[in-house]
PDB file of all heavy atoms in Angstrom:
ATOM      1  N   HIS A  30       1.971  35.596 -23.034  1.00 34.00           N
ATOM      2  CA  HIS A  30       0.707  36.321 -23.075  1.00 34.00           C
ATOM      3  C   HIS A  30       0.886  37.711 -22.491  1.00 34.00           C
ATOM      4  O   HIS A  30       0.432  38.692 -23.055  1.00 34.00           O
ATOM      5  CB  HIS A  30      -0.343  35.520 -22.298  1.00 34.00           C
ATOM      6  CG  HIS A  30      -1.725  36.071 -22.396  1.00 34.00           C
ATOM      7  ND1 HIS A  30      -2.402  36.126 -23.593  1.00 34.00           N
ATOM      8  CD2 HIS A  30      -2.550  36.597 -21.458  1.00 34.00           C
ATOM      9  CE1 HIS A  30      -3.609  36.649 -23.376  1.00 34.00           C
ATOM     10  NE2 HIS A  30      -3.704  36.941 -22.101  1.00 34.00           N
ATOM     11  N   PHE A  31       1.607  37.815 -21.374  1.00 39.00           N
ATOM     12  CA  PHE A  31       1.858  39.102 -20.737  1.00 39.00           C
ATOM     13  C   PHE A  31       2.713  39.979 -21.644  1.00 39.00           C
ATOM     14  O   PHE A  31       2.450  41.153 -21.823  1.00 39.00           O
ATOM     15  CB  PHE A  31       2.557  38.897 -19.381  1.00 39.00           C
ATOM     16  CG  PHE A  31       2.792  40.162 -18.629  1.00 39.00           C
ATOM     17  CD1 PHE A  31       1.764  40.756 -17.928  1.00 39.00           C
ATOM     18  CD2 PHE A  31       4.040  40.755 -18.618  1.00 39.00           C
ATOM     19  CE1 PHE A  31       1.972  41.925 -17.227  1.00 39.00           C
ATOM     20  CE2 PHE A  31       4.267  41.920 -17.918  1.00 39.00           C
ATOM     21  CZ  PHE A  31       3.226  42.507 -17.220  1.00 39.00           C
ATOM     22  N   ALA A  32       3.732  39.419 -22.266  1.00 40.00           N
ATOM     23  CA  ALA A  32       4.650  40.185 -23.097  1.00 40.00           C
ATOM     24  C   ALA A  32       3.989  40.677 -24.379  1.00 40.00           C
ATOM     25  O   ALA A  32       4.435  41.640 -24.969  1.00 40.00           O
ATOM     26  CB  ALA A  32       5.871  39.337 -23.435  1.00 40.00           C
ATOM     27  N   GLN A  33       2.915  40.029 -24.808  1.00 43.00           N
ATOM     28  CA  GLN A  33       2.257  40.429 -26.037  1.00 43.00           C
ATOM     29  C   GLN A  33       1.349  41.629 -25.848  1.00 43.00           C
ATOM     30  O   GLN A  33       0.694  42.055 -26.785  1.00 43.00           O
ATOM     31  CB  GLN A  33       1.450  39.263 -26.601  1.00 43.00           C
ATOM     32  CG  GLN A  33       2.324  38.164 -27.146  1.00 43.00           C
ATOM     33  CD  GLN A  33       1.512  36.991 -27.626  1.00 43.00           C
ATOM     34  OE1 GLN A  33       0.286  37.015 -27.632  1.00 43.00           O
ATOM     35  NE2 GLN A  33       2.199  35.941 -28.027  1.00 43.00           N
ATOM     36  N   GLY A  34       1.307  42.190 -24.651  1.00 44.00           N
ATOM     37  CA  GLY A  34       0.517  43.404 -24.459  1.00 44.00           C
ATOM     38  C   GLY A  34      -0.924  43.149 -24.115  1.00 44.00           C
ATOM     39  O   GLY A  34      -1.810  43.751 -24.696  1.00 44.00           O
ATOM     40  N   THR A  35      -1.191  42.264 -23.219  1.00 44.00           N
ATOM     41  CA  THR A  35      -2.559  42.042 -22.782  1.00 44.00           C
ATOM     42  C   THR A  35      -3.035  43.275 -22.035  1.00 44.00           C
ATOM     43  O   THR A  35      -2.262  44.159 -21.692  1.00 44.00           O
ATOM     44  CB  THR A  35      -2.643  40.819 -21.853  1.00 44.00           C
ATOM     45  OG1 THR A  35      -1.855  41.082 -20.702  1.00 44.00           O
ATOM     46  CG2 THR A  35      -2.183  39.565 -22.551  1.00 44.00           C
ATOM     47  N   GLU A  36      -4.303  43.343 -21.762  1.00 46.00           N
ATOM     48  CA  GLU A  36      -4.871  44.491 -21.064  1.00 46.00           C
ATOM     49  C   GLU A  36      -4.153  44.798 -19.755  1.00 46.00           C
ATOM     50  O   GLU A  36      -3.952  45.931 -19.414  1.00 46.00           O
ATOM     51  CB  GLU A  36      -6.369  44.276 -20.805  1.00 46.00           C
ATOM     52  CG  GLU A  36      -7.207  44.368 -22.050  1.00 46.00           C
ATOM     53  CD  GLU A  36      -7.132  45.710 -22.745  1.00 46.00           C
ATOM     54  OE1 GLU A  36      -7.162  46.756 -22.079  1.00 46.00           O
ATOM     55  OE2 GLU A  36      -7.011  45.723 -23.978  1.00 46.00           O
ATOM     56  N   GLU A  37      -3.749  43.763 -19.014  1.00 55.00           N
ATOM     57  CA  GLU A  37      -3.076  43.987 -17.744  1.00 55.00           C
ATOM     58  C   GLU A  37      -1.717  44.664 -17.929  1.00 55.00           C
ATOM     59  O   GLU A  37      -1.259  45.368 -17.070  1.00 55.00           O
ATOM     60  CB  GLU A  37      -2.864  42.666 -16.986  1.00 55.00           C
ATOM     61  CG  GLU A  37      -4.145  41.953 -16.594  1.00 55.00           C
ATOM     62  CD  GLU A  37      -4.705  41.096 -17.719  1.00 55.00           C
ATOM     63  OE1 GLU A  37      -3.948  40.519 -18.486  1.00 55.00           O
ATOM     64  OE2 GLU A  37      -5.947  41.037 -17.842  1.00 55.00           O
ATOM     65  N   ALA A  38      -1.069  44.421 -19.054  1.00 79.00           N
ATOM     66  CA  ALA A  38       0.277  44.927 -19.269  1.00 79.00           C
ATOM     67  C   ALA A  38       0.291  46.355 -19.798  1.00 79.00           C
ATOM     68  O   ALA A  38       1.305  47.013 -19.747  1.00 79.00           O
ATOM     69  CB  ALA A  38       1.025  44.015 -20.248  1.00 79.00           C
ATOM     70  N   ILE A  39      -0.818  46.841 -20.334  1.00 93.00           N
ATOM     71  CA  ILE A  39      -0.858  48.166 -20.933  1.00 93.00           C
ATOM     72  C   ILE A  39      -1.144  49.205 -19.856  1.00 93.00           C
ATOM     73  O   ILE A  39      -2.155  49.129 -19.173  1.00 93.00           O
ATOM     74  CB  ILE A  39      -1.919  48.235 -22.045  1.00 93.00           C
ATOM     75  CG1 ILE A  39      -1.609  47.209 -23.126  1.00 93.00           C
ATOM     76  CG2 ILE A  39      -1.982  49.644 -22.627  1.00 93.00           C
ATOM     77  CD1 ILE A  39      -2.683  47.064 -24.169  1.00 93.00           C
ATOM     78  N   PRO A  40      -0.256  50.198 -19.715  1.00 94.00           N
ATOM     79  CA  PRO A  40      -0.496  51.258 -18.723  1.00 94.00           C
ATOM     80  C   PRO A  40      -1.740  52.078 -19.072  1.00 94.00           C
ATOM     81  O   PRO A  40      -2.276  51.992 -20.179  1.00 94.00           O
ATOM     82  CB  PRO A  40       0.771  52.113 -18.824  1.00 94.00           C
ATOM     83  CG  PRO A  40       1.793  51.226 -19.439  1.00 94.00           C
ATOM     84  CD  PRO A  40       1.040  50.310 -20.364  1.00 94.00           C
ATOM     85  N   ALA A  41      -2.153  52.908 -18.144  1.00 93.00           N
ATOM     86  CA  ALA A  41      -3.373  53.706 -18.288  1.00 93.00           C
ATOM     87  C   ALA A  41      -3.304  54.649 -19.492  1.00 93.00           C
ATOM     88  O   ALA A  41      -2.261  55.219 -19.789  1.00 93.00           O
ATOM     89  CB  ALA A  41      -3.623  54.508 -17.015  1.00 93.00           C
ATOM     90  N   PHE A  42      -4.449  54.800 -20.165  1.00 94.00           N
ATOM     91  CA  PHE A  42      -4.615  55.768 -21.242  1.00 94.00           C
ATOM     92  C   PHE A  42      -6.108  55.985 -21.441  1.00 94.00           C
ATOM     93  O   PHE A  42      -6.930  55.228 -20.936  1.00 94.00           O
ATOM     94  CB  PHE A  42      -3.957  55.287 -22.549  1.00 94.00           C
ATOM     95  CG  PHE A  42      -4.636  54.095 -23.174  1.00 94.00           C
ATOM     96  CD1 PHE A  42      -5.634  54.255 -24.117  1.00 94.00           C
ATOM     97  CD2 PHE A  42      -4.276  52.807 -22.810  1.00 94.00           C
ATOM     98  CE1 PHE A  42      -6.264  53.152 -24.687  1.00 94.00           C
ATOM     99  CE2 PHE A  42      -4.884  51.704 -23.372  1.00 94.00           C
ATOM    100  CZ  PHE A  42      -5.885  51.877 -24.314  1.00 94.00           C
ATOM    101  N   HIS A  43      -6.450  57.035 -22.168  1.00 94.00           N
ATOM    102  CA  HIS A  43      -7.850  57.317 -22.495  1.00 94.00           C
ATOM    103  C   HIS A  43      -8.114  56.765 -23.892  1.00 94.00           C
ATOM    104  O   HIS A  43      -7.399  57.082 -24.836  1.00 94.00           O
ATOM    105  CB  HIS A  43      -8.115  58.816 -22.467  1.00 94.00           C
ATOM    106  CG  HIS A  43      -7.819  59.441 -21.143  1.00 94.00           C
ATOM    107  ND1 HIS A  43      -8.685  59.381 -20.072  1.00 94.00           N
ATOM    108  CD2 HIS A  43      -6.727  60.114 -20.699  1.00 94.00           C
ATOM    109  CE1 HIS A  43      -8.148  59.998 -19.043  1.00 94.00           C
ATOM    110  NE2 HIS A  43      -6.964  60.455 -19.389  1.00 94.00           N
ATOM    111  N   ASN A  44      -9.144  55.961 -24.011  1.00 93.00           N
ATOM    112  CA  ASN A  44      -9.463  55.321 -25.280  1.00 93.00           C
ATOM    113  C   ASN A  44     -10.136  56.274 -26.264  1.00 93.00           C
ATOM    114  O   ASN A  44     -10.085  56.058 -27.459  1.00 93.00           O
ATOM    115  CB  ASN A  44     -10.350  54.101 -25.034  1.00 93.00           C
ATOM    116  CG  ASN A  44     -10.262  53.092 -26.158  1.00 93.00           C
ATOM    117  OD1 ASN A  44      -9.258  53.012 -26.851  1.00 93.00           O
ATOM    118  ND2 ASN A  44     -11.319  52.333 -26.346  1.00 93.00           N
ATOM    119  N   GLU A  45     -10.753  57.319 -25.762  1.00 94.00           N
ATOM    120  CA  GLU A  45     -11.482  58.276 -26.597  1.00 94.00           C
ATOM    121  C   GLU A  45     -10.787  59.631 -26.570  1.00 94.00           C
ATOM    122  O   GLU A  45     -10.094  59.959 -25.607  1.00 94.00           O
ATOM    123  CB  GLU A  45     -12.917  58.429 -26.070  1.00 94.00           C
ATOM    124  CG  GLU A  45     -13.720  57.138 -26.057  1.00 94.00           C
ATOM    125  CD  GLU A  45     -14.010  56.612 -27.451  1.00 94.00           C
ATOM    126  OE1 GLU A  45     -14.194  57.427 -28.367  1.00 94.00           O
ATOM    127  OE2 GLU A  45     -14.041  55.373 -27.617  1.00 94.00           O
ATOM    128  N   PRO A  46     -11.007  60.448 -27.601  1.00 93.00           N
ATOM    129  CA  PRO A  46     -10.444  61.800 -27.587  1.00 93.00           C
ATOM    130  C   PRO A  46     -11.000  62.600 -26.406  1.00 93.00           C
ATOM    131  O   PRO A  46     -12.092  62.318 -25.914  1.00 93.00           O
ATOM    132  CB  PRO A  46     -10.911  62.406 -28.913  1.00 93.00           C
ATOM    133  CG  PRO A  46     -11.304  61.247 -29.764  1.00 93.00           C
ATOM    134  CD  PRO A  46     -11.740  60.157 -28.817  1.00 93.00           C
ATOM    135  N   PRO A  47     -10.273  63.610 -25.968  1.00 93.00           N
ATOM    136  CA  PRO A  47     -10.752  64.416 -24.837  1.00 93.00           C
ATOM    137  C   PRO A  47     -12.035  65.160 -25.201  1.00 93.00           C
ATOM    138  O   PRO A  47     -12.219  65.578 -26.343  1.00 93.00           O
ATOM    139  CB  PRO A  47      -9.599  65.386 -24.579  1.00 93.00           C
ATOM    140  CG  PRO A  47      -8.838  65.440 -25.862  1.00 93.00           C
ATOM    141  CD  PRO A  47      -9.010  64.102 -26.503  1.00 93.00           C
ATOM    142  N   GLN A  48     -12.916  65.316 -24.228  1.00 94.00           N
ATOM    143  CA  GLN A  48     -14.179  66.015 -24.453  1.00 94.00           C
ATOM    144  C   GLN A  48     -14.113  67.498 -24.086  1.00 94.00           C
ATOM    145  O   GLN A  48     -14.905  68.281 -24.554  1.00 94.00           O
ATOM    146  CB  GLN A  48     -15.296  65.334 -23.650  1.00 94.00           C
ATOM    147  CG  GLN A  48     -15.545  63.907 -24.079  1.00 94.00           C
ATOM    148  CD  GLN A  48     -15.918  63.802 -25.552  1.00 94.00           C
ATOM    149  OE1 GLN A  48     -16.790  64.504 -26.034  1.00 94.00           O
ATOM    150  NE2 GLN A  48     -15.219  62.945 -26.281  1.00 94.00           N
ATOM    151  N   GLY A  49     -13.178  67.837 -23.248  1.00 94.00           N
ATOM    152  CA  GLY A  49     -13.058  69.224 -22.823  1.00 94.00           C
ATOM    153  C   GLY A  49     -11.638  69.711 -22.988  1.00 94.00           C
ATOM    154  O   GLY A  49     -10.814  69.081 -23.647  1.00 94.00           O
TER     155      GLY A  49
END
Side-chain angles (χ1 to χ4, degrees):
H30 187 64
F31 183 79
Q33 289 177 4
T35 62
E36 288 299 317
E37 297 84 35
I39 301 172
F42 68 92
H43 301 280
N44 203 27
E45 300 293 326
Q48 297 302 310

